[in-house]
Amino acid sequence: MGSLKEYKSDEYLEYRLYWCSFGPENYGEGGGVLPSRRYRLNTRNRAARPQSMRGCTCHFVVKRLYARPALALIIFNERRHINKSGFVCHGPLDKDAIGPGAKKIPYISNEIQQQTMSMIYLGIPEENVLEKHIEYVQRYGGSDATVSTLASQYVRKLGMIIKRSTHELDLDDQASIRMWVERNKKSIFFYQDTSETDPFILGIQTEWQLQQMVRFGHRSLIAADSTFGIKRLKYPLCTLLVFDSRQHALPVAWVITRSVAKPDVAKWMKALLDRARSVDPGWKINGFVIDDAAMEIDPIRDAFCCPILFSIWRVRGSWLRNVVKKCSNIEVQREIFKRLGEIVYSIWGGLDTSVALEELILDFVDQSAFMEYFKCTWVPKIEMWLSTIKTFPLASQEASGAIEAYHVKLKTKLFDDSHLGALQRVDWLVHKLTTELHSAYWLDRYADESDSFQHVKEEYIASTSWHRALQIPDSAVTLDDKGHLFAKVASQKDSSRTHLVWNPGSDFAFCDCAWSMQGNFCKHVIKVNMICENAKGCRPSMSFWSFREILIDLCKKPMDDSIGLDESVAWTHQMLDQIKQLVELNSSNDIGIVVNNMPLKWISKKGRTFVGIPASLPALPSDSKTITKNVQKSRKRKRLSRLR
């Protein structure tokens, strides 16, 4: 190193040639020739040469370049594992491979293995699992009785392993988690054990979740389902979600911790972002959706550098669930829920929230059970929640419904009666997340993208209230003519049944269906609100109202405040450009036209100097040969200086 003043770009410090271990010869370290053996060696070394010669011509060269000694350049002279005749000579694609039972063992890819495991974890009958497994294995190995027998043995063995697997690696929960972390390092993006100064934090993200986060999170939204199980689990669970191709919430990371302090949140958020950018250095999100007014905002802004949106699904669901639970009269239920919605809407109308709360408590003083709950749980912190709703843009009903659908699925998986005794163990929670829940979402995505498992695909598509609402025709909805006090939605399953939706057009609309009575966004409310968007006299959705208030607030900047006005104009034009691009992208049938119309952007200043020469160079005079040579020499010196 450092001995050459001038050198070519392919000059190297070291050069080695490697042959496949099934090849005719081995030019390994030291440069000696070791022919493949046709006989068995009695040796204790399990990594001895192959037992037979296959004649594989796959070989490659490794160079340590003079210009970049810290890197290795790998050049494949023959990448395929074939012999001189061009036929595959070993491996899973070689049907005539030499070796003990090589042509009898079916090829099982990671995809087939994950599919089989997912079906077993989800409790699909073994006969159906075996049928699907053999079907996919035969795509690689062909239809053969031996292949089917071995595949059947594989499924039964895998099923036994899964059934016998346990979350308790140690009787002590903390020791069990340490053992799990040591065995599953690839699925962990952050781990901090409990100590006197540091709280327990465990961040879980499998390789498949990382792929989905990079794929669906880039230039899109990430949402947080925070503080799940804060009362029942040993440590609360926070889930980070992306919205997939059908705008369903897909879990891409789980964080198990009790700490919500800024330094601790910043640690695992930075680690998660670094992991995503290790795959795609340009990975960036357009927005982060939160659902808890007490959540720390600064770590999100510092890590992701993006706008923050707020989803009201948590506060809406909590209010609706307790109104139904603690008030027996349905008329009282819908009136209280309507008044609660008016309190939220009043933050944009300039009304005094404290006065509205006092009137609510006085008007429904006879509903002691609900009022006691509301005073103890919500009155002390309602100013914080209303301030958050007013400060941040609000997420749409589609996004809120998708987050809620994930939350309901998670609750169903974890809070099963058979697992109530294990809720205080972290290793049980980790086991449930990484096996059953992970398998469920993996199979949902696989069924949708491969157009297989039609029953799973149909359930996955209809898993959110928004998609179920799209299946209701407009003709099934009838609005009240007198002030739009309610709307009627005809049932699609039973034509003789009708659901009533009170306070239509509002996010706090009240439906009498069973799903809504459990505190959820139901399809009837969402469908009625879709109809009310174009109806006169109906109140707009809270997300649109919030968006409109933000635009109005930008327009209210005084003219003499020049910098404030400049900022308002800049933000408005940025939003308008993004809206125009989205409209153009959604309305275009040819993505190539959209790409061609985009303005050319340089990646960086450094990139402009060596990535390429601009197409339009000024013409040189005919007598400028000397100048041309000097320019070429100076460019050569610059390139050499970069290499050094």
Side-chain angles (χ1 to χ4, degrees):
M1 292 177 60
S3 60
L4 300 179
K5 293 184 179 180
E6 294 185 1
Y7 49 87
K8 299 179 181 179
S9 60
D10 59 347
E11 293 282 359
Y12 56 86
L13 294 169
E14 291 183 69
Y15 173 96
R16 292 187 184 184
L17 175 65
Y18 291 90
W19 284 79
C20 173
S21 59
F22 290 93
E25 294 175 330
N26 176 19
Y27 296 90
E29 187 175 355
V33 179
L34 180 66
S36 297
R37 298 183 178 89
R38 298 175 180 271
Y39 52 87
R40 177 180 174 82
L41 285 176
N42 292 323
T43 175
R44 294 181 180 179
N45 183 10
R46 304 302 298 175
R49 294 282 299 141
Q51 311 306 322
S52 57
M53 183 171 62
R54 308 286 177 85
C56 183
T57 60
C58 176
H59 62 289
F60 59 91
V61 171
V62 180
K63 289 183 179 181
R64 188 165 169 236
L65 297 180
Y66 184 87
R68 304 292 295 277
L71 301 181
L73 176 65
I74 302 176
I75 304 172
F76 271 90
N77 296 322
E78 177 55 67
R79 184 180 292 271
R80 298 171 299 169
H81 294 270
I82 58 176
N83 54 25
K84 291 183 178 180
S85 301
F87 296 104
V88 177
C89 55
H90 69 93
L93 299 180
D94 177 24
K95 295 185 178 181
D96 297 322
I98 304 172
K103 58 185 177 182
K104 299 179 183 178
I105 305 300
Y107 176 63
I108 300 175
S109 64
N110 291 334
E111 186 178 88
I112 297 176
Q113 184 179 6
Q114 181 64 57
Q115 172 192 297
T116 306
M117 290 175 60
S118 298
M119 289 190 290
I120 295 174
Y121 276 124
L122 295 177
I124 297 176
E126 187 176 304
E127 296 78 13
N128 298 343
V129 176
L130 180 59
E131 180 184 352
K132 282 291 182 182
H133 181 77
I134 293 177
E135 176 185 337
Y136 282 93
V137 166
Q138 288 179 350
R139 292 185 180 181
Y140 295 92
S143 57
D144 185 85
T146 307
V147 170
S148 301
T149 303
L150 292 172
S152 176
Q153 294 175 1
Y154 173 81
V155 171
R156 290 191 176 91
K157 183 179 179 181
L158 188 62
M160 290 176 62
I161 292 173
I162 291 175
K163 288 177 182 178
R164 293 175 181 176
S165 64
T166 177
H167 61 274
E168 290 187 0
L169 302 179
D170 192 278
L171 293 177
D172 180 60
D173 186 34
Q174 195 170 2
S176 179
I177 280 295
R178 291 196 194 103
M179 294 175 65
W180 187 89
V181 169
E182 191 65 27
R183 296 180 184 182
N184 300 272
K185 291 184 177 180
K186 289 185 177 180
S187 299
I188 297 168
F189 68 89
F190 187 82
Y191 175 63
Q192 178 177 280
D193 204 353
T194 308
S195 65
E196 294 181 358
T197 57
D198 298 323
F200 174 83
I201 303 175
L202 177 59
I204 303 172
Q205 185 183 58
T206 65
E207 294 184 6
W208 178 76
Q209 286 180 308
L210 175 60
Q211 294 171 6
Q212 306 310 305
M213 180 177 174
V214 173
R215 176 185 175 188
F216 294 115
H218 182 56
R219 297 293 179 184
S220 186
L221 298 176
I222 281 186
D225 175 21
S226 55
T227 64
F228 176 86
I230 194 169
K231 295 180 180 179
R232 304 179 69 178
L233 297 177
K234 182 178 181 180
Y235 293 104
L237 172 66
C238 175
T239 307
L240 295 187
L241 307 161
V242 295
F243 298 96
D244 60 16
S245 54
R246 294 190 181 273
Q247 305 304 328
H248 289 12
L250 186 68
V252 293
W254 293 296
V255 182
I256 304 173
T257 183
R258 191 179 288 121
S259 175
V260 293
K262 287 183 183 180
D264 296 324
V265 175
K267 287 178 186 177
W268 63 259
M269 278 197 175
K270 185 179 183 302
L272 183 66
L273 181 64
D274 291 343
R275 194 177 199 208
R277 287 184 174 170
S278 67
V279 178
D280 182 3
W283 188 82
K284 180 180 176 60
I285 64 173
N286 284 345
F288 197 102
V289 183
I290 62 173
D291 62 352
D292 186 3
M295 191 171 184
E296 292 291 350
I297 304 302
D298 292 341
I300 302 174
R301 286 175 169 161
D302 295 341
F304 294 101
C305 303
C306 67
I308 296 175
L309 291 81
F310 185 77
S311 173
I312 65 165
W313 80 268
R314 185 178 294 277
V315 59
R316 180 192 183 276
S318 178
W319 287 353
L320 178 57
R321 189 164 50 251
N322 282 278
V323 163
V324 174
K325 181 180 178 181
K326 300 181 185 298
C327 301
S328 57
N329 191 313
I330 190 169
E331 294 182 0
V332 175
Q333 292 173 1
R334 62 193 182 208
E335 187 61 29
I336 291 179
F337 195 59
K338 179 181 178 181
R339 293 281 293 275
L340 290 171
E342 290 177 352
I343 292 175
V344 177
Y345 274 98
S346 68
I347 61 177
W348 296 299
L351 301 178
D352 191 346
T353 306
S354 59
V355 174
L357 284 174
E358 290 179 5
E359 291 178 355
L360 174 70
I361 295 172
L362 290 174
D363 291 344
F364 297 97
V365 67
D366 56 330
Q367 303 297 322
S368 57
F370 176 77
M371 285 304 158
E372 183 179 354
Y373 152 79
F374 190 74
K375 289 177 183 179
C376 296
T377 307
W378 286 100
V379 170
K381 60 183 180 181
I382 196 167
E383 288 293 338
M384 177 185 68
W385 281 81
L386 294 179
S387 175
T388 303
I389 293 173
K390 186 177 181 180
T391 304
F392 296 105
L394 297 184
S396 63
Q397 291 185 19
E398 183 179 11
S400 298
I403 300 172
E404 183 185 73
Y406 165 77
H407 185 87
V408 171
K409 188 170 185 176
L410 179 63
K411 193 174 181 180
T412 304
K413 290 286 183 183
L414 295 185
F415 293 160
D416 188 2
D417 292 340
S418 60
H419 304 130
L420 294 180
L423 294 179
Q424 291 300 310
R425 289 190 65 100
V426 181
D427 56 1
W428 169 84
L429 175 61
V430 171
H431 182 76
K432 293 288 285 186
L433 293 175
T434 56
T435 55
E436 292 186 24
L437 194 66
H438 184 275
S439 298
Y441 278 97
W442 186 93
L443 194 62
D444 285 344
R445 291 297 311 155
Y446 180 79
D448 187 41
E449 294 183 344
S450 64
D451 198 25
S452 57
F453 299 99
Q454 292 300 318
H455 178 66
V456 175
K457 180 179 178 180
E458 291 172 2
E459 287 187 350
Y460 157 73
I461 294 174
S463 60
T464 65
S465 297
W466 181 272
H467 280 263
R468 292 194 293 269
L470 294 177
Q471 305 305 314
I472 301 176
D474 294 350
S475 58
V477 179
T478 306
L479 288 174
D480 174 36
D481 295 334
K482 299 178 181 179
H484 299 310
L485 297 176
F486 63 89
K488 295 181 180 180
V489 183
S491 174
Q492 302 302 297
K493 295 181 180 179
D494 186 359
S495 58
S496 61
R497 190 173 181 182
T498 302
H499 296 284
L500 281 178
V501 177
W502 291 85
N503 196 20
S506 170
D507 290 54
F508 288 82
F510 185 93
C511 181
D512 59 1
C513 71
W515 186 247
S516 178
M517 289 295 189
Q518 296 175 19
N520 303 310
F521 265 116
C522 73
K523 60 182 179 181
H524 310 108
V525 168
I526 294 177
K527 183 61 182 181
V528 168
N529 289 351
M530 289 179 181
I531 298 295
C532 290
E533 286 180 1
N534 302 319
K536 293 181 179 180
C538 290
R539 179 181 290 174
S541 65
M542 290 184 67
S543 59
F544 180 79
W545 198 305
S546 171
F547 176 67
R548 186 178 65 180
E549 289 296 321
I550 292 172
L551 293 179
I552 293 174
D553 185 57
L554 289 174
C555 296
K556 286 180 180 178
K557 293 292 182 181
M559 295 298 294
D560 55 352
D561 187 7
S562 59
I563 294 187
L565 181 63
D566 292 342
E567 290 178 350
S568 301
V569 172
W571 277 106
T572 306
H573 277 280
Q574 183 179 357
M575 286 189 296
L576 286 175
D577 290 341
Q578 292 181 357
I579 292 172
K580 288 179 181 178
Q581 291 175 7
L582 288 173
V583 171
E584 183 181 4
L585 186 63
N586 290 331
S587 59
S588 177
N589 295 324
D590 188 359
I591 190 65
I593 299 175
V594 179
V595 173
N596 291 334
N597 292 335
M598 287 183 177
L600 180 63
K601 293 183 179 180
W602 293 102
I603 298 175
S604 63
K605 183 179 179 181
K606 183 180 178 182
R608 296 200 296 269
T609 61
F610 70 94
V611 170
I613 303 173
S616 58
L617 289 174
L620 294 173
S622 58
D623 58 345
S624 59
K625 294 182 179 178
T626 307
I627 298 174
T628 305
K629 289 181 180 179
N630 291 334
V631 170
Q632 291 174 349
K633 286 182 179 180
S634 64
R635 287 176 181 168
K636 186 175 182 180
R637 287 194 204 100
K638 288 180 180 179
R639 288 196 296 268
L640 291 175
S641 64
R642 290 194 200 99
L643 292 173
R644 294 193 187 103

